Amino acid sequence: MNIALLGYGKMGQLIEKFALQRGHQIHLIVDESNRESIGAEDLDGADMAIDFSRPEAAVSNIDLCFEADVPIVVGTTGWYNQLDVVKKRCLDGNKTLLYGSNFSIGVNVFFYINKLLAAAMNPYKQYDVQVEEIHHTQKLDAPSGTAITIAEGIIEHTDAKTEWINNLIGDGEESIPKPNQLLIESHRIEDVPGTHTVLYSSEVDQIEFKHTAHSRAGFALGAVIAAEWLNGKTGFYQVTEMFNFGGQV
């Protein structure tokens, strides 16, 4: 495929590396230095776009690809408050988009098992559950999109929790969760690619379920694999639809 990269930070550069290794070509690189001058005509000849830009740029980049009729894989998070509008625009216009909070194979296995664990723990009301996430200090959104996906998987299978709230440690503000609220605790530490932990705590013990990323490479490779999966399709997809773990939770 001829791939347009929307965003050329550390993730964009890794995606370029894996795309070239897998036999693709880079048609266009868009970043903050040239985004204002890029129009739909610049995407002529692109088979696919991959967006790892910034939360405030994601929807504009999606619209650009819709206008150019180029399928897009969106790894940027922090824009999901507009997800329903973007989905309608995609389906009404017969466009193609795949989005996800995390493209790592390991994390998507984690998402699946997280739901199984939540369903297994649901009868045992003596356990309270929370989510902790640690990322590098350049991470622009808190909580991470991955942490939100984890929290939503727990809420879906836990009667006691109906919504999540976030505490960003070190920002000076701390919210005390109500019994129906699932706490996501966010930490920002230098040079941490991403760690996510689900904790079930009672008076007698604690269960921890954790995923630790050693680098961004798994996310970048997963994004290229997602682009390959999306090629030739039309519609609106989540990254979880790429994976088949032997049944739905």
Side-chain angles (χ1 to χ4, degrees):
M1 293 181 292
N2 289 324
I3 297 175
L5 297 179
L6 308 180
Y8 198 61
K10 291 179 179 179
M11 277 296 296
Q13 292 169 40
L14 272 174
I15 290 166
E16 177 184 34
K17 171 187 168 184
F18 284 114
L20 293 174
Q21 285 180 357
R22 294 174 70 87
H24 305 296
Q25 292 80 43
I26 302 304
H27 174 78
L28 176 70
I29 293 173
V30 179
D31 60 16
E32 293 176 342
S33 69
N34 66 351
R35 176 62 182 90
E36 292 301 316
S37 64
I38 296 295
E41 65 280 359
D42 295 299
L43 291 174
D44 286 348
D47 302 305
M48 185 70 58
I50 302 177
D51 180 279
F52 275 82
S53 57
R54 300 171 67 89
E56 63 272 17
V59 175
S60 173
N61 288 342
I62 291 167
D63 287 341
L64 176 70
C65 290
F66 285 176
E67 182 183 352
D69 203 23
V70 173
I72 180 171
V73 171
V74 186
T76 308
T77 59
W79 60 275
Y80 293 168
N81 60 324
Q82 301 181 68
L83 194 62
D84 289 343
V85 173
V86 169
K87 179 178 181 179
K88 185 176 188 305
R89 204 176 299 156
C90 178
L91 296 177
D92 288 352
N94 202 32
K95 307 302 182 182
T96 305
L97 181 149
L98 182 149
Y99 79 97
S101 60
N102 199 306
F103 289 82
S104 157
I105 294 171
V107 167
N108 280 278
V109 172
F110 187 99
F111 288 157
Y112 177 74
I113 298 175
N114 173 60
K115 291 182 177 182
L116 293 176
L117 180 58
M121 295 300 296
N122 187 44
Y124 304 105
K125 306 306 180 186
Q126 65 268 40
Y127 287 89
D128 194 26
V129 59
Q130 75 173 60
V131 177
E132 293 181 356
E133 58 106 343
I134 307 171
H135 277 89
H136 49 87
T137 52
Q138 289 77 41
K139 178 72 172 168
L140 298 176
D141 50 327
S144 69
T146 301
I148 292 173
T149 301
I150 292 167
E152 289 175 343
I154 294 168
I155 291 167
E156 182 183 350
H157 296 280
T158 303
D159 297 334
K161 303 296 183 183
T162 59
E163 62 183 12
W164 59 264
I165 64 167
N166 180 239
N167 278 337
L168 177 59
I169 303 305
D171 74 344
E173 297 182 12
E174 184 173 347
S175 300
I176 306 299
K178 299 174 183 176
N180 70 308
Q181 292 178 324
L182 173 61
L183 175 64
I184 305 176
E185 193 172 89
S186 299
H187 301 259
R188 295 294 174 261
I189 300 172
E190 288 286 349
D191 300 324
V192 177
T195 299
H196 294 86
T197 308
V198 179
L199 301 103
Y200 288 88
S201 300
S202 74
E203 290 184 1
V204 297
D205 60 7
Q206 178 168 288
I207 300 168
E208 294 189 12
F209 179 45
K210 178 185 287 189
H211 178 274
T212 301
H214 298 309
S215 73
R216 295 180 176 89
F219 312 142
L221 176 59
V224 177
I225 293 171
E228 293 168 352
W229 181 87
L230 188 64
N231 190 32
K233 294 181 173 65
T234 301
F236 187 85
Y237 302 93
Q238 296 186 52
V239 66
T240 51
E241 295 178 62
M242 290 169 48
F243 299 96
N244 180 5
F245 297 121
Q248 298 300 312
V249 182

